Amino acid sequence: MENTKMSLTVKVLVGMALGIIVGLIINLGGLNAPGSFINDNIVNGLFHVVGKMFINALKMLVVPLVFFSLICGVCGIGDIKMLGRVGGKSFALYMMTTAIAIATAILIAASFGIGKGMEQTSDVVFAGKDSPPLTQVLIDIIPQNPFHAMANGDMLPLIFFSILLGISMLLVGRKAKGFVEGAEVANEIMMKMVTIVMSVAPYAVFALIAKSIAELGLDLLVSLTGYVLVLVGSLMIHLFVTLMIVLKVFSGLSPAVFLKKIRNAQIFAFSTASSNATIPVTMRTVTERMGVNNSVASFSVPFGATINMDGTAIMQGVATVFIANVYGVDLGITGYLTVILMSVLASIGTAGVPGVGLIMLSMVFTQVGLPIEGIGLILGVDRLMDMIRTAVNVSGDAVVSSIVAKSEGKMDLATYNDPDAGTVSTDGFHIDETVEKELADTVQQTHNQA
Ligand code: ASP
């Protein structure tokens, strides 16, 4: 049993490694030429279909999972005053870590002077998009129609509605007990569905990564070495140093245990390049692997996926320094402070989906007067950078969730310290024949009574 448990994480890692190797072979061997058999049938055929099906399966879980787990989270919190504290602490920590992330990134990038003396020309054109203004972000927190928010997967209005529903259930009191019990069962069912979807991850991760790497312009990675190295270096420093210090200082929890347990969520984030699509895995990881109580995780994880983007902020910092240097613009201290502020604010209103960092960047550039066309220079490597920064974004969400849970006494330390807790195992997929019969009888009886 132990072996089957272990093998899934190992299989996902193997899938990832094979994906990188196969992707590299296709890319470096020039097998991805448009019109070629491999390009049309394998990369854009098989890999594309398997990868997209998997991302759809993950996205399919997000809304019902967030909805039911938040209802249970609010009803199970035990002290409603804690809700405000959990919200306040999560928000403060998310903003703080994002600000630290971008400030360090700017310092590192500036001290390396990346982009100085580089050619300004790029044939790739980037059309900037506007991010919504903060006032609109605030207004949109309240959904006009909760079903519309659900259908669109809009996280903040969904969080708002689910919390309000949970509070209203508490206010209704005993009469709402049946509803609360129903939500609790629904939450458990959704968690089981997460496990089912995760169990096919090794193949899907392989397909997703092989496709991304096969399509990447690896020559671009070389011509942008300075930018890529400083960016990846800053992301790693944030993940392994800054976030781990924050975790240790604010919660006393072991960074080594954290880094080991967060791995699955990081791989999912890396392969999908979407914090939002990774919500089910992050939620499962922090609750079942790390012991964060659902009353904290049900809020902090989807909230973090939307407003917390440490990795994305780091990209903004490095890209700003890089492009300012390429264009010979001196932004000065005020310029860089504006960049920090804008990035932190922009992260609040933008969802964690692939490529959103570039849209935020165009907003930052408009503010500080850098040419939007400059973004075209880094466009070619952005997909790979997006994958890496999303893994950092998701790690930040889990760090904050753990700190908040620990500080509220909502963390099960035995689970955190148990290396095997919550590992994905297909053992739970066995359907008990007696239960199967009982449920069938129940359905039959209910049907006959009707
Ligand atoms: N893909 C990132 C995320 O989902 C956002 C970005 O940096 O583009 O968190």
Side-chain angles (χ1 to χ4, degrees):
M1 191 168 141
E2 210 44 38
N3 282 338
T4 14
K5 271 188 181 177
M6 275 307 296
S7 64
L8 193 94
T9 313
V10 177
K11 273 191 204 161
V12 175
L13 281 169
V14 172
M16 187 173 149
L18 286 178
I20 295 177
I21 296 171
V22 171
L24 279 176
I25 294 176
I26 295 177
N27 187 287
L28 298 175
L31 305 174
N32 56 342
S36 69
F37 176 81
I38 294 207
N39 183 64
D40 292 357
N41 296 294
I42 307 292
V43 178
N44 288 310
L46 186 67
F47 294 169
H48 174 72
V49 173
V50 173
K52 277 279 184 235
M53 283 170 86
F54 183 65
I55 292 187
N56 277 359
L58 282 171
K59 285 187 180 164
M60 159 186 94
L61 304 171
V62 175
V63 171
L65 184 67
V66 170
F67 179 66
F68 289 119
S69 70
L70 257 175
I71 296 177
C72 300
V74 172
C75 293
I77 202 162
D79 170 12
I80 199 69
K81 285 188 220 94
M82 196 189 282
L83 202 61
R85 283 205 306 273
V86 168
K89 282 183 192 173
S90 313
F91 185 75
L93 283 166
Y94 282 144
M95 293 301 102
M96 183 191 89
T97 45
T98 308
I100 298 179
I102 180 162
T104 6
I106 291 178
L107 281 179
I108 299 176
S111 55
F112 277 96
I114 48 163
K116 280 197 176 137
M118 226 186 103
E119 195 65 42
Q120 285 183 19
T121 48
S122 154
D123 6 314
V124 199
V125 184
F126 180 76
K129 267 198 220 150
D130 285 339
S131 244
L134 199 59
T135 42
Q136 196 56 43
V137 173
L138 288 175
I139 295 171
D140 289 343
I141 290 179
I142 303 182
Q144 293 184 39
N145 177 345
F147 298 105
H148 184 260
M150 287 184 188
N152 279 348
D154 295 336
M155 268 317 121
L156 295 183
L158 174 63
I159 293 176
F160 180 85
F161 178 73
S162 312
I163 293 182
L164 198 57
L165 188 65
I167 295 175
S168 310
M169 281 156 83
L170 285 177
L171 290 173
V172 166
R174 289 209 176 84
K175 260 194 274 173
K177 204 166 159 241
F179 205 126
V180 179
E181 281 167 356
E184 189 59 46
V185 178
N187 189 32
E188 203 178 320
I189 295 171
M190 287 313 302
M191 271 296 177
K192 186 58 85 185
M193 220 190 265
V194 176
T195 317
I196 299 177
V197 173
M198 278 178 79
S199 67
V200 296
Y203 313 99
V205 163
F206 166 79
L208 283 167
I209 292 187
K211 179 171 190 284
S212 302
I213 304 274
E215 285 178 340
L216 276 177
L218 290 178
D219 35 341
L220 257 172
L221 279 183
V222 178
S223 65
L224 287 172
T225 338
Y227 171 73
V228 170
L229 285 183
V230 169
L231 177 49
V232 175
S234 308
L235 287 168
M236 293 305 121
I237 291 175
H238 187 73
L239 173 60
F240 292 109
V241 183
T242 316
L243 281 179
M244 291 308 104
I245 293 177
V246 170
L247 178 74
K248 188 77 196 165
V249 169
F250 284 90
S251 72
L253 294 166
S254 152
V257 173
F258 179 89
L259 286 172
K260 194 159 179 287
K261 296 202 167 189
I262 193 67
R263 223 167 29 198
N264 256 338
Q266 287 173 335
I267 298 175
F268 275 72
F270 181 78
S271 354
T272 59
S274 167
S275 311
N276 265 26
T278 313
I279 288 176
V281 185
T282 319
M283 197 102 105
R284 191 186 181 286
T285 305
V286 297
T287 51
E288 299 190 7
R289 296 272 291 133
M290 299 184 182
V292 172
N293 191 284
N294 180 51
S295 53
V296 173
S298 61
F299 169 76
S300 63
V301 171
F303 190 49
T306 313
I307 74 155
N308 181 53
M309 294 184 191
D310 296 357
T312 307
I314 290 171
M315 179 278 263
Q316 322 254 310
V318 177
T320 309
V321 174
F322 176 69
I323 292 167
N325 280 344
V326 172
Y327 283 83
V329 180
D330 184 11
L331 287 178
I333 295 286
T334 340
Y336 282 116
L337 286 177
T338 315
V339 173
I340 297 179
L341 188 70
M342 285 314 297
S343 295
V344 174
L345 289 180
S347 67
I348 301 178
T350 39
V353 292
V356 82
L358 288 178
I359 296 170
M360 289 161 64
L361 192 61
S362 65
M363 191 189 167
V364 171
F365 275 23
T366 318
Q367 279 296 319
V368 293
L370 276 177
I372 306 273
E373 316 83 77
I375 299 179
L377 285 172
I378 53 166
L379 217 53
V381 291
D382 197 66
R383 173 69 193 187
L384 182 62
M385 298 301 110
D386 195 2
M387 292 160 77
I388 305 176
R389 69 182 182 247
T390 307
V392 176
N393 289 348
V394 165
S395 309
D397 301 344
V399 164
V400 170
S401 302
S402 307
I403 295 175
V404 175
K406 178 79 190 334
S407 74
E408 289 294 336
K410 291 277 180 189
M411 179 105 187
D412 179 4
L413 288 177
T415 306
Y416 188 85
N417 292 317
D418 173 4
D420 289 330
T423 40
V424 178
S425 142
T426 41
D427 302 343
F429 292 165
H430 168 72
I431 300 178
D432 185 327
E433 275 172 30
T434 344
V435 174
E436 209 176 2
K437 267 217 102 0
E438 264 175 40
L439 286 182
D441 289 345
T442 314
V443 171
Q444 204 54 49
Q445 277 165 18
T446 322
H447 181 80
N448 292 343
Q449 276 165 14

